[in-house]
Amino acid sequence: TQLLEQSPQFLSIQEGENLTVYCNSSSVFSSLQWYRQEPGEGPVLLVTVVTGGEVKKLKRLTFQFGDARKDSSLHITAAQPGDTGLYLCAGAKDNFNKFYFGSGTKLNVKP
Amino acid sequence: DVKVTQSSRYLVKRTGEKVFLECVQDMDHENMFWYRQDPGLGLRLIYFSYDVKMKEKGDIPEGYSVSREKKERFSLILESASTNQTSMYLCASKGLKLFFGSGTQLSVL
């Protein structure tokens, strides 16, 4: 059983649409990270959130950490084909060396 | 630019073979990790190391061992490869954040 559940698993949308990806858990995390992974490459860190209720923006991407630090969301505005990839969330508990990864959301943005 | 280099992109091995996956980082990081990635399961931690010759089991260490003789190099060893170890293997090192290598796709036939 995954400690972090991501939804949806797959998402195929048209360029210009908005989307939200969810990362949920029954556990509390000290911090939560979002990564994007492109085919044939390792994941690349997009953002880290550490405070309950925190919102971070990275251009068209908005990340939110839940108030109780158990869940997070990633919202993309006006998606572009370059956003295509596998999005992974990862939570860290007290030991900042151990990250629990979600199963990922595979996003395909069609031109 | 920071770099985590995995020695092979693709490997094909036979059941029962001993397999070595090598990972080198050039950032002088103390913490290094080995994950495996399977569709629908995300990344699962196999082992990590927080210093030379120091290692700790992750969530799925069975069938694997590791070696960290030098700070920059972290090796994953499959003592006797089995078909259920067919997977993508990702190495990472950690400073302020995790840096991943490009992965090794291992097929065990």
Side-chain angles (χ1 to χ4, degrees):
Chain A
T1 312
Q2 299 274 147
L3 199 59
L4 280 165
E5 297 288 341
Q6 280 187 244
S7 62
Q9 268 195 294
F10 301 97
L11 199 49
S12 184
I13 60 171
Q14 292 293 140
E15 182 175 0
E17 289 185 29
N18 301 333
L19 67 117
T20 303
V21 176
Y22 299 94
C23 176
N24 295 307
S25 177
S26 55
S27 294
V28 176
F29 293 97
S30 302
S31 68
L32 200 131
Q33 302 184 326
W34 285 93
Y35 293 80
R36 180 167 65 219
Q37 184 179 18
E38 297 185 24
E41 297 298 327
V44 175
L45 180 68
L46 296 173
V47 78
T48 300
V49 285
V50 296
T51 307
E54 184 176 0
V55 176
K56 277 193 175 175
K57 291 197 173 194
L58 190 67
K59 296 184 183 177
R60 294 175 294 100
L61 278 61
T62 302
F63 304 86
Q64 186 158 9
F65 201 10
D67 291 340
R69 291 186 287 129
K70 292 182 179 181
D71 52 78
S72 181
S73 64
L74 156 61
H75 182 79
I76 302 180
T77 304
Q80 298 176 1
D83 296 326
T84 292
L86 179 69
Y87 288 81
L88 294 156
C89 65
K93 289 185 165 271
D94 294 331
N95 178 352
F96 281 92
N97 278 330
K98 195 162 183 192
F99 295 88
Y100 298 88
F101 280 82
S103 52
T105 293
K106 201 163 187 179
L107 172 65
N108 180 35
V109 182
K110 295 175 280 190
Chain B
D1 230 2
V2 298
K3 230 177 158 94
V4 178
T5 304
Q6 294 185 231
S7 53
S8 306
R9 276 287 189 133
Y10 302 96
L11 269 182
V12 180
K13 296 291 180 181
R14 296 241 173 245
T15 304
E17 278 192 75
K18 191 167 185 175
V19 181
F20 292 86
L21 303 183
E22 306 286 346
C23 175
V24 177
Q25 52 102 354
D26 64 358
M27 295 163 281
D28 204 35
H29 288 161
E30 290 178 347
N31 300 304
M32 295 186 73
F33 305 80
W34 275 106
Y35 291 89
R36 65 177 281 177
Q37 183 174 26
D38 300 288
L41 294 177
L43 276 68
R44 291 179 290 166
L45 182 64
I46 305 171
Y47 266 96
F48 70 97
S49 168
Y50 48 91
D51 204 348
V52 174
K53 296 193 189 294
M54 306 301 282
K55 62 188 178 186
E56 208 165 304
K57 291 180 181 179
D59 298 315
I60 50 163
E62 297 79 19
Y64 303 94
S65 62
V66 289
S67 172
R68 184 118 181 251
E69 296 296 318
K70 292 185 178 182
K71 194 174 187 180
E72 66 270 19
R73 187 179 296 270
F74 192 32
S75 304
L76 180 69
I77 304 152
L78 286 66
E79 297 290 342
S80 176
S82 63
T83 54
N84 63 12
Q85 292 179 308
T86 290
S87 187
M88 169 68 82
Y89 289 87
L90 287 162
C91 174
S93 75
K94 182 175 173 285
L96 291 176
K97 62 180 188 177
L98 273 178
F99 294 90
F100 283 89
S102 298
T104 296
Q105 180 62 53
L106 173 68
S107 297
V108 183
L109 306 176

